[in-house]
Amino acid sequence: MEAYFLEWLNMFFRWFHVIAGVAWIGASFYFVWLDNSLENPPQWKKDKGIGGDLWAIHGGGFYEVAKYKLGPEKMPENLHWFKWEAYTTWLTGMVMLWIVYYIGAESFLIDSARMDFTQGEAIAAGMGFIIAGVAVYEAMVRSPLRHNGKVFGLILFAFLIFMSWFAFQIFSARGAYIHVGAILGTIMAGNVFLGIMPAQRALVDAVQRGESPDPKYGAFAKLRSTHNNYFTLPIIFIMISNHYPMTYGHEQGWLVLVAIGFISAYARHFFNLKNQGVSKPSILVISAIMLAALAAAMVPAKIEAQKGETILTDTQAMTIIGQRCISCHAVNPTHAGFASAPAGIILETVEQVLTVKDKMIPALQTGYMPLGNLTKMTDKERQQVMVWLSK
Ligand code: HEC
């Protein structure tokens, strides 16, 4: 019963998280676009202090947008802030992290072959990992390094490569991906909370006092918002990656994450340049080629019976699957914490097994299944079942 309600909580918060995330990233993409599409306003607008002018049509109406060079003469009654999208995304994301990876640490976070954590230790390690990642970023962004965006970017990237590798030494592959994602997400929400919001408050205060705002705040917020911009595509990849065991389940899953993170941030660069009036479609082409090359480099080894290996009979194969899989993959799972067959996959009869063969082979080959090898499948059994499935 408990597992059943946990499933509903999982669904509700995942749904909420996606909605908030769409609102956050949507608003952020819109403002980046807006900022870079502004045109030179007519003189009468310039006289009012307007630095950028834009007209748009959407949903059956005309919109006239004006961006002030510094600030309006007097504060409008209503000023929209766009911060709750970010905070809500982060908060619901943290709830998801607890529901899926911390309550379900045994299944999703711990890989006893890497670190034989207890649930409490795994949670502490997870939280510590995220806090350490964000602390290093905050220290960097407050150091003189912030004056050199390019060097900052390189060091940040090197640090994230290290964290990706490190996560793979202590967590399960899927747990590692989500924790790198949690660092990125927390840095992003922190950038809003600790950098962008204070800068905007300083801007509003200055306008209210009738002074011109100190540009240092704007520049500081700009660096943080640039980082957020490059993080968007990689973080969305991490969110969807848990449907693709061939990524995190790869022997060098941390390197796959680094590669896809790099490729997607590079693709984002195309849009940033384009918005600044520089069109370099080659960036998108190169990104696509890099992704295809990655896929080609990761083609899994062919499954073949070893010399002298006899292929299992159906009954023998089903006995192994019965021992290693159906405590979870059954109409009524007996494994604690599972209310229904995970991913809708039921492995109780030969027919059921053969219909999901194409998903089963990669799940076995990458070691993703049995989850966390909780049912202690041996390498030999794994090989035998794969050979039987591919016969
Ligand atoms: C401890 C419970 C558990 C055991 C044991 C287990 N699984 Fe799973 N399995 C899961 C969960 C949970 C998911 C859904 C994971 C997800 O959402 O990515 C899953 C998903 C799958 C998928 C779908 C993967 C995809 O492509 O999305 C396959 C195939 C699968 N399991 C096969 C197996 C096989 C084969 C075994 C036995 C060798 C096995 N599982 C043992 C819990 C288990």
Side-chain angles (χ1 to χ4, degrees), residues 114 129 162-172 176 179-180:
R114 292 180 183 162
F129 181 82
F162 169 75
M163 289 309 260
S164 174
W165 171 83
F166 185 54
F168 264 78
Q169 311 308 307
I170 56 176
F171 302 124
S172 71
H179 275 82
V180 173

Side-chain angles (χ1 to χ4, degrees), residues 63-82:
Y63 293 79
E64 180 183 13
V65 183
K67 182 177 178 183
Y68 283 81
K69 252 198 193 129
L70 290 168
E73 264 170 32
K74 99 179 180 354
M75 272 330 259
E77 246 171 62
N78 264 327
L79 188 63
H80 299 280
W81 278 81
F82 298 94

Side-chain angles (χ1 to χ4, degrees), residues 8 46 141 152 162 191 286 294 299 329 366:
W8 276 90
K46 279 188 189 157
V141 93
F152 193 114
F162 169 75
N191 276 337
I286 294 170
L294 182 68
V299 171
H329 291 285
T366 56

Side-chain angles (χ1 to χ4, degrees), residues 214 317 324:
D214 186 338
R324 309 301 182 199

Side-chain angles (χ1 to χ4, degrees), residues 1-12 99 103 331-333 335-341:
M1 202 40 94
E2 201 185 300
Y4 172 76
F5 285 112
L6 208 57
E7 285 273 299
W8 276 90
L9 273 184
N10 179 323
M11 183 191 84
F12 174 76
I99 293 180
I103 295 180
V331 179
N332 294 305
H335 197 97
F338 290 90
S340 56

Side-chain angles (χ1 to χ4, degrees), residues 12-47:
F12 174 76
F13 279 103
R14 190 181 298 266
W15 197 1
F16 195 177
H17 182 58
V18 171
I19 295 168
V22 168
W24 180 13
I25 296 185
S28 132
F29 278 8
Y30 173 69
F31 277 100
V32 169
W33 172 85
L34 196 65
D35 230 23
N36 292 310
S37 309
L38 292 169
E39 286 165 29
N40 204 12
Q43 193 56 44
W44 67 270
K45 284 190 182 173
K46 279 188 189 157
D47 293 342

Side-chain angles (χ1 to χ4, degrees), residues 86-98:
Y87 301 161
T88 313
T89 308
W90 184 78
L91 287 169
T92 49
M94 283 293 133
V95 174
M96 284 306 294
L97 188 66
W98 274 92

Side-chain angles (χ1 to χ4, degrees), residues 101 105-115 129 163-181 237-238 241-242 244-257 366-369 371-373:
Y101 292 90
E106 192 204 357
S107 306
F108 290 109
L109 185 57
I110 301 170
D111 180 342
S112 54
R114 292 180 183 162
M115 272 291 175
F129 181 82
M163 289 309 260
S164 174
W165 171 83
F166 185 54
F168 264 78
Q169 311 308 307
I170 56 176
F171 302 124
S172 71
R174 222 182 112 167
Y177 265 41
I178 212 68
H179 275 82
V180 173
F237 162 71
I238 295 176
S241 69
N242 65 41
Y244 304 98
M246 79 247 182
T247 55
Y248 54 82
H250 190 269
E251 235 173 283
Q252 307 291 338
W254 67 274
L255 208 53
V256 176
L257 177 57
T366 56
Y368 179 43
M369 287 293 143
L371 207 60
N373 205 5

